[in-house]
């Protein structure tokens, strides 16, 4: 499950008092029957104003920076795993103390997806993408004014699209997430992609893939799955015209309008894949790919509102039923760049 936490941030006051989880656990905490251990972590902060590093959009566009950020407490997480206590990231986002000019861009959208999956791959059991009071730059959403939160005219921030994407990414019942080191993206700063394989909770089947293309505008990447991996796939695309974009972002062909309504036609690509298949991921963008029967069985969200189901909210007359499937024409692209090879476990070859 994926949640975000509507708490007011207190992180600025805590800068400088950071402790390592393993130190705290070794210091005696392991003796007590804790239900969870929790962490909060941001890659950078803007408590003392903008600097070259906290306004550095390039940082958020390189997967090489993600493992160092997401796995900085790996020793403590391992210790917690040994005593069966889950670890939660109860607060994360791009830039603490209110965000910088990068925090409301599409670069931050892609980064928050990458970071969440990396948390999962590092053994965290959940993560909360943080949002704060009115007009904090990294917010997921804001009311029209601080005093008119019951009126329409809410504004959606770029990180909201990360939450939308992630809400469909994890498998109900549990996921095992593996960073597949696509094009050596863990180590090679020249790599402009990242990828994750998502297995079911017992690790018996890879059911989903996430492919991130950090490439600049127009740099579409074709990702090819070889034959005999899955009979068919369904996929959705997260995309924006540029990494600096703040509002013209779409997920599965839809952009968020007022009151959480999804505008545009919900678009899912369906492709036969028994003999191999290719998915084109536009730059900058990301794809969520569901394999075979899983695409429909536990699959994609169908609807025109991101807040459907909330009591008291009446959807607009246009938002009622049925997802759209545009067939393979729109999304289908050929020619492989990256090849998935199954040899017992999954491996990727470029
Ligand atoms: C953010 O601000 C920095 C410093 O003023 C500037 O160099 C950079 O281009 C800005 N980035 C964006 C995405 O606006
Ligand atoms: C910005 O990020 C890039 C990519 O990680 C890095 O190479 C560069 O040194 C960073 N610049 C600053 C000023 O932090
Ligand atoms: C893959 O890695 C090579 C070697 O560093 C690099 O030249 C190329 O641009 C990368 N391609 C992508 C799509 O990341
Ligand atoms: C693993 O979990 C899946 C559900 O995600 C289930 O269908 C399957 O039977 C399980 N396999 C084993 C070996 O437990
Ligand atoms: C899933 O449903 C779509 C739309 O009805 C259909 O086109 C597609 O073939 C189905 N895929 C699978 C794997 O059953
Ligand atoms: C979403 O709205 C479109 C028209 O804007 C409609 O065709 C479609 O059936 C709706 N889908 C759902 C699930 O309500
Ligand atoms: C991706 O495939 C499409 C469709 O075949 C092709 O037009 C395009 O040139 C390919 N792009 C790259 C970067 O390989």
């Amino acid at each position: 499950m994926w949640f975000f936490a509507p708490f007011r941030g207190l992180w600025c006051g805590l800068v400088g008092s950071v402790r390592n989880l393993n130190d705290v656990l070794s210091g005696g905490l392991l003796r007590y029957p804790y239900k969870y251990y929790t962490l909060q972590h941001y890659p950078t902060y803007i408590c003392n104003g903008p600097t070259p590093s906290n306004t550095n959009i390039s940082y958020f566009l390189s997967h090489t920076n993600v493992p160092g950020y997401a796995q900085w407490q790996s020793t403590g997480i391992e210790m917690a795993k040994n005593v069966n206590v889950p670890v939660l990231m109860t607060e994360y986002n791009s830039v603490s103390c209110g965000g910088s000019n990068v925090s409301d861009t599409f670069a931050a959208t892609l980064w928050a997806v990458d970071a969440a999956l990396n948390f999962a791959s590092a053994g965290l059991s959940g993560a909360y993408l943080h949002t704060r009071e009115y007009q904090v730059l990294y917010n997921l959403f804001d009311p029209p004014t601080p005093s008119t939160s019951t009126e329409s005219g809410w504004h959606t921030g770029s990180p909201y699209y990360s939450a939308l994407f992630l809400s469909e990414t994890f498998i109900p019942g549990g996921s095992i997430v593996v960073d597949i080191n696509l094009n050596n993206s863990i180590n090679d700063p020249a790599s402009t992609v990242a990828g994750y394989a998502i297995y079911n909770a017992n690790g018996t089947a890879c059911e989903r893939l996430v492919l991130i293309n950090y490439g600049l505008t127009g740099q579409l990447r074709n990702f090819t799955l070889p034959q005999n991996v899955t009979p068919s796939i369904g996929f959705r695309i997260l995309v924006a015209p540029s990494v600096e974009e703040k509002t013209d972002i779409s997920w599965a062909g839809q952009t968020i309008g007022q009151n959480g309504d999804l505008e545009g036609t919900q678009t899912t690509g369906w492709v036969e894949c028994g003999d191999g298949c290719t998915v084109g991921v536009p730059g900058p963008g990301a794809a969520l790919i569901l394999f075979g029967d899983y695409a429909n069985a536990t699959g994609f969200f169908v609807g025109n509102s991101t807040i459907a189901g909330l009591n008291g909210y009446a959807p607009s007359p246009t938002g009622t039923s049925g997802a759209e499937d545009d067939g393979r024409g729109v999304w289908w692209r050929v020619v492989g760049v990256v090849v998935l090879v199954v040899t017992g476990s999954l491996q990727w070859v470029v």
Side-chain angles (χ1 to χ4, degrees):
M1 287 291 277
W2 191 261
F3 304 102
F4 50 83
F7 298 137
R8 191 171 284 251
L10 294 171
W11 182 252
C12 295
L14 297 176
V15 169
S17 67
V18 180
R19 296 245 197 312
N20 286 319
L21 179 62
N22 56 313
D23 292 338
V24 179
L25 294 182
S26 321
L29 224 61
L30 279 176
R31 280 182 282 136
Y32 301 102
Y34 278 90
K35 195 164 181 187
Y36 299 103
Y37 302 127
T38 67
L39 302 167
Q40 303 188 346
H41 194 38
Y42 293 72
T44 182
Y45 62 93
I46 195 163
C47 311
N48 305 319
T51 63
S53 75
N54 64 29
T55 57
N56 184 7
I57 200 165
S58 305
Y59 171 91
F60 294 94
L61 296 170
S62 179
H63 180 69
T64 57
N65 292 320
V66 174
Y69 162 69
Q71 299 173 25
W72 103 121
Q73 292 299 328
S74 52
T75 309
I77 291 166
E78 189 61 33
M79 290 169 75
K81 194 158 76 181
N82 291 338
V83 293
N84 287 318
V85 178
V87 183
L88 303 178
M89 178 63 58
T90 52
E91 196 178 311
Y92 88 99
N93 210 318
S94 52
V95 183
S96 72
C97 288
S100 76
N101 63 354
V102 173
S103 301
D104 55 350
T105 66
F106 188 60
T109 310
L110 293 178
W111 173 84
V113 168
D114 199 341
L117 288 163
N118 220 274
F119 288 144
S121 78
L124 288 169
S125 298
Y128 296 73
L129 187 53
H130 195 240
T131 198
R132 263 180 62 179
E133 74 276 14
Y134 184 64
Q135 278 189 339
V136 164
L137 283 168
Y138 66 58
N139 277 356
L140 279 73
F141 43 73
D142 275 321
T145 70
S147 57
T148 54
S149 60
T150 56
E151 289 171 21
S152 60
W154 283 64
H155 163 81
T156 301
S158 68
Y160 194 81
Y161 287 88
S162 321
L164 267 190
F165 184 103
L166 291 164
S167 71
E168 298 190 49
T169 296
F170 292 97
I171 298 167
S175 306
I176 296 173
V177 178
V178 179
D179 182 336
I180 55 180
N181 196 21
L182 201 54
N183 201 27
N184 196 23
S185 53
I186 294 175
N187 305 302
D188 184 358
S191 184
T192 57
V193 292
Y196 293 89
I198 301 160
Y199 292 76
N200 59 5
N202 55 32
T204 52
C206 178
E207 297 183 11
R208 303 177 179 203
L209 288 176
V210 169
L211 303 172
I212 300 173
N213 178 5
Y214 286 111
L216 299 180
T217 308
Q219 293 183 341
L220 178 134
R221 299 292 174 200
N222 292 319
F223 295 89
T224 297
L225 278 77
Q227 60 183 8
N228 299 328
V229 171
T230 171
S232 66
I233 58 169
F235 64 97
R236 289 185 165 181
I237 300 286
L238 174 69
V239 65
S242 73
V243 294
E244 291 89 7
E245 181 60 45
K246 297 179 178 178
T247 55
D248 185 13
I249 300 170
S250 70
W251 165 235
Q254 294 181 308
T255 296
I256 300 160
Q258 290 204 355
N259 300 332
D261 282 339
L262 291 163
E263 294 175 347
T265 303
Q266 198 162 52
T267 308
T268 308
W270 303 104
V271 179
E272 295 302 321
C273 203
D275 296 326
C277 60
T278 302
V279 176
V281 183
L288 170 63
I289 301 172
L290 271 55
F291 286 0
D293 295 340
Y294 306 111
N296 290 7
T298 57
F300 298 109
F301 168 76
V302 175
N304 283 329
S305 172
T306 66
I307 58 169
L310 278 191
N311 287 333
Y313 171 71
S316 61
T318 51
T320 39
S321 68
E324 299 298 323
D325 176 3
D326 73 343
R328 58 177 74 177
V330 173
W331 296 105
W332 173 251
R333 302 218 171 47
V334 209
V335 179
V337 170
V338 178
V339 178
L340 170 66
V341 181
V342 181
T343 53
S345 62
L346 288 171
Q347 284 180 358
W348 289 79
V349 177
V350 179

